[in-house]
Amino acid sequence: MSNGANLNWIAGAIWSIADDVLRDVYVRGKYRDVILPMTVLRRLDAVLEPTKQEVLNTKAFLDKNSISS
């Protein structure tokens, strides 16, 4: 599958999920107000995944020692 076709397939899958999951929760024209932020958050989660445990360990250490930012 070429990049363009792959991107179109992914976009179609996202909109299909939106139709199934968000129907009657959001007005159809407002889906993009929900889909875009959720897609960005998921991408950030995927990019940061390799360091997630280290960050959680650091947070636990800071909390244990009453250190705040």
Side-chain angles (χ1 to χ4, degrees):
M1 205 181 272
S2 72
N3 285 342
N6 194 30
L7 182 60
N8 287 336
W9 181 86
I10 292 170
I14 291 171
W15 288 115
S16 175
I17 292 167
D19 284 339
D20 292 341
V21 177
L22 300 177
R23 183 173 298 168
D24 298 328
V25 176
Y26 294 95
V27 177
R28 186 176 180 96
K30 295 294 183 178
Y31 286 177
R32 71 184 71 229
D33 295 346
V34 176
I35 295 294
L36 182 59
M38 291 299 183
T39 303
V40 170
L41 287 174
R42 174 61 187 117
R43 293 292 295 151
L44 283 172
D45 183 55
V47 167
L48 297 173
E49 186 175 10
T51 60
K52 182 176 182 178
Q53 193 56 52
E54 184 180 343
V55 170
L56 292 174
N57 292 343
T58 301
K59 170 77 167 110
F61 172 80
L62 293 173
D63 288 345
K64 180 180 177 183
N65 293 295
S66 300
I67 300 170
S68 63
S69 54

